[in-house]
């Protein structure tokens, strides 16, 4: 069994860990939340790159055989540098699902809700260029949403109000499909449905990311020999007990089936 590192600016990557625990419950995981620095989405690209690299190096030192950069923002800004620095380790990133969205959108009008740093990154825009003009994309930075989710307020009135503001230009443009381009945003699903009902298709890439993780583990199977523990270690740069509380609130996976530890790190 493998030890898998999952990293995000905060609790967003729990949406990926949740899916990983459903598809691959037998492995051990270290979940690293850089909560003291969340949100990343409004920081400079130099800062995001340096910090993401530092944290992935930390996970590599803990002996993770695979690292999932469970953050669209860090993937967009830093995945090449991380792969370059950690050559012996498989690095899996996450990207807004604009390709599947373009394929599935009946009208060819797709909203993309992501962080400012993701939306202005070269990586994201290069992918976008391959899909336009056949599909029209309405890019919307979800400013203010990540701090609410970090504070355990994904279902609050404040989140609903802010979401309504952010979704307005997307709806006005006639989008029938919405890409959740930040790993925090699947936790807004209930609020989005409350506002929009079923009239928009939501695209979230966590299942696809975990399928990729599974393929990677199959490739590495020969070289990984560890005892099965089913252990999850939650690491937070801010407050490990609130990370654990939020993990229990936000995730669907049955955490009782795992042996759990929470620690602070800096
Ligand atoms: N969860 C992250 C993402 O997928 C980052 C959000 C943030 O820290 O701004 O982009």
């Amino acid at each position: 069994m493998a030890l898998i590192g999952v990293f995000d600016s905060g609790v967003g990557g729990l949406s990926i860990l949740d899916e990983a625990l459903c598809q691959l419950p037998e492995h051990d995981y270290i979940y690293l939340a850089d909560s003291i620095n969340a949100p990343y989405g409004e920081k400079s690209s130099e800062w995001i790159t340096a910090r993401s690299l530092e944290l992935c190096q930390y996970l590599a030192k803990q002996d993770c055989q695979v690292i999932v950069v469970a953050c669209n923002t860090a993937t967009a800004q830093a995945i090449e540098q991380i792969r370059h620095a950690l050559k012996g380790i498989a690095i899996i990133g996450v990207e807004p699902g604009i390709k599947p969205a373009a394929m599935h959108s009946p009208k060819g009008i797709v909203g993309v809700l992501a962080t400012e740093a993701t939306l202005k990154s070269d990586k994201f825009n290069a992918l976008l260029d391959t899909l336009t003009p056949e599909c029209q994309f309405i890019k919307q930075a979800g400013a203010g949403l990540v701090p609410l989710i970090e504070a355990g307020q994904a279902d609050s009135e404040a989140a609903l109000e802010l979401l309504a503001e952010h979704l307005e230009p997307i709806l006005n443009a006639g989008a029938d499909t919405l890409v959740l381009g930040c790993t925090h945003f699947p936790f807004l699903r209930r609020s989005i449905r409350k506002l929009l009902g079923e009239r928009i298709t939501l695209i979230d890439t966590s299942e696809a990311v975990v399928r990729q993780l599974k393929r990677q583990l199959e490739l590495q199977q020969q070289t990984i020999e560890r005892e099965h523990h089913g252990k999850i270690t939650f690491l937070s740069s801010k407050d490990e007990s609130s990370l654990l509380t939020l993990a229990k609130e936000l995730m669907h996976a049955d955490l009782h089936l795992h042996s759990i530890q929470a620690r602070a790190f800096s």
Side-chain angles (χ1 to χ4, degrees):
M1 296 301 123
L3 174 61
I4 300 161
V6 180
F7 144 68
D8 181 48
S9 62
V11 297
L14 293 174
S15 59
I16 305 279
L17 178 66
D18 206 11
E19 184 60 36
L21 293 178
C22 293
Q23 289 191 41
L24 303 162
E26 66 276 24
H27 296 283
D28 291 346
Y29 293 86
I30 298 181
Y31 183 84
L32 193 160
D34 191 15
S35 320
I36 201 155
N37 290 308
Y40 276 15
E42 286 143 43
K43 292 190 161 58
S44 75
S45 107
E46 293 73 22
W47 188 94
I48 298 166
T49 304
R51 183 65 175 164
S52 304
L53 186 56
E54 184 187 343
L55 296 181
C56 289
Q57 278 165 332
Y58 176 86
L59 285 173
K61 280 204 193 108
Q62 311 305 303
D63 287 335
C64 292
Q65 287 102 0
V66 182
I67 296 173
V68 183
V69 179
C71 173
N72 292 264
T73 308
T75 301
Q77 300 289 345
I79 196 96
E80 272 87 26
Q81 289 89 334
I82 296 169
R83 288 197 173 120
H84 183 75
L86 299 174
K87 285 212 175 71
I89 299 179
I91 311 289
I92 293 173
V94 300
E95 282 185 289
I98 55 176
K99 212 171 165 180
M103 277 162 53
H104 288 110
S105 165
K107 292 197 272 181
I109 309 176
V110 170
V112 187
L113 190 62
T115 68
E116 195 184 317
T118 298
L119 294 176
K120 66 177 193 215
S121 70
D122 293 343
K123 195 172 171 60
F124 173 77
N125 285 293
L127 181 60
L128 203 73
D129 285 346
T130 66
L131 302 167
T132 49
E134 288 77 13
C135 186
Q136 184 193 341
F137 292 96
I138 297 93
K139 302 193 272 182
Q140 178 65 43
L145 291 171
V146 168
L148 285 173
I149 299 163
E150 289 290 316
Q153 292 176 32
D155 294 319
S156 65
E157 266 315 298
L160 267 182
E161 270 171 36
L162 197 54
L163 256 176
E165 250 174 62
H166 290 322
L167 293 177
E168 197 181 314
I170 294 174
L171 295 174
N172 288 346
D176 53 34
T177 306
L178 175 66
V179 175
L180 303 177
C182 167
T183 51
H184 280 77
F185 296 166
F187 296 126
L188 293 171
R189 212 177 262 274
R190 258 194 308 266
S191 295
I192 297 174
R193 288 290 175 224
K194 219 179 206 177
L195 287 168
L196 306 181
E198 296 298 321
R199 67 187 155 120
I200 204 157
T201 304
L202 300 181
I203 304 280
D204 152 24
T205 52
S206 41
E207 263 187 60
V209 171
V210 174
R211 275 200 303 276
Q212 199 188 334
L213 171 62
K214 193 172 176 188
R215 279 194 295 275
Q216 184 58 45
L217 291 168
E218 282 161 7
L219 277 177
Q220 286 182 231
Q221 209 173 24
Q222 304 304 321
T223 53
I224 297 172
E225 279 177 28
R226 302 179 75 253
E227 279 177 35
H228 170 218
H229 298 293
K231 196 166 107 187
I232 311 172
T233 306
F234 289 97
L235 299 178
S236 170
S237 59
K238 191 177 178 188
D239 175 356
E240 68 275 20
S241 61
S242 54
L243 172 62
L244 197 54
T245 307
L246 274 176
K248 288 177 182 161
E249 252 173 60
L250 294 170
M251 293 169 72
H252 299 105
D254 188 355
L255 294 178
H256 291 106
L257 300 175
H258 302 268
S259 119
I260 291 192
Q261 234 186 54
R263 279 194 279 119
F265 86 101
S266 51

